[in-house]
Amino acid sequence: WSTTRPRLTATIKILSKKLHAAGLTLSVTVPGGYQPFLSDGSPNPGGGYSVFDWAALAPLVDRLRLMTYDYSWNRPGPIGPHGWTRDAVRSAVAQVGEANRSKIYVGLHQYGKAWYSRDAADDYVTVGECDDSWQPSGSDAISLSVADARSLASDYGVTPRFDRPSREWTFSYVKTESGQYTNAK
């Protein structure tokens, strides 16, 4: 990333000059980051993705769009928890400065995910007689529209609940899923 970072910024600089000369708008979309602030409280460059130099990119672009979603992307959890989104925006503002803060756009999730539950050993949580090495045959994280999530909850007879810390709706259900067991011995 230390090699790519200046190259990415240089590429955006060239693109900025050419697009602005043509009267066009330049938007750059960057991840909100996995750790907006360092342990000492200072902003973490690029939210932890140091390949993105938000401070250098902001003067070059018309919009710096933060992806404040997919916080949990490979395991069950919130998609864009409120506290993390707030911190990502605060970190971005601190990095780009007051002069460029109006260029920050926040991308919020408008979807849900259906996950397979896993335990502390990273094994799938199963009901009945399934070995720890059982693997589902379906995808591990299926994206759902809000309407699809409501329908799924209704189909399984469960009531979604509002999780205050993340400020997201959630529900759990049990479904029958085919899969396979592979004996690793």
Side-chain angles (χ1 to χ4, degrees), residues 12-134:
I12 297 298
K13 186 174 187 176
I14 293 166
L15 192 58
S16 176
K17 284 181 184 177
K18 290 185 178 197
L19 290 176
H20 289 140
L24 299 172
T25 300
L26 175 57
S27 296
V28 173
T29 304
V30 297
Y34 56 88
Q35 184 182 8
F37 290 95
L38 298 171
S39 59
D40 66 2
S42 62
N44 195 0
Y49 292 107
S50 60
V51 71
F52 299 103
D53 187 345
W54 295 350
L57 294 176
L60 305 172
V61 303
D62 300 292
R63 295 183 185 111
L64 184 67
R65 302 184 318 186
L66 296 178
M67 297 184 291
T68 59
Y69 46 85
D70 276 351
Y71 176 84
S72 299
W73 56 273
N74 66 343
R75 295 291 180 266
I79 296 169
H82 178 77
W84 170 72
T85 299
R86 181 193 62 232
D87 286 348
V89 172
R90 285 181 44 235
S91 179
V93 168
Q95 290 177 60
V96 305
E98 287 297 318
N100 291 303
R101 79 181 278 157
S102 64
K103 295 180 178 184
I104 296 172
Y105 285 68
V106 181
L108 301 172
H109 66 285
Q110 295 294 309
Y111 62 94
K113 285 197 176 184
W115 306 88
Y116 290 107
S117 293
R118 294 180 184 230
D119 61 20
D122 205 31
D123 293 323
Y124 291 99
V125 175
T126 60
V127 176
E129 295 186 27
C130 294
D131 188 273
D132 284 348
S133 297
W134 178 87

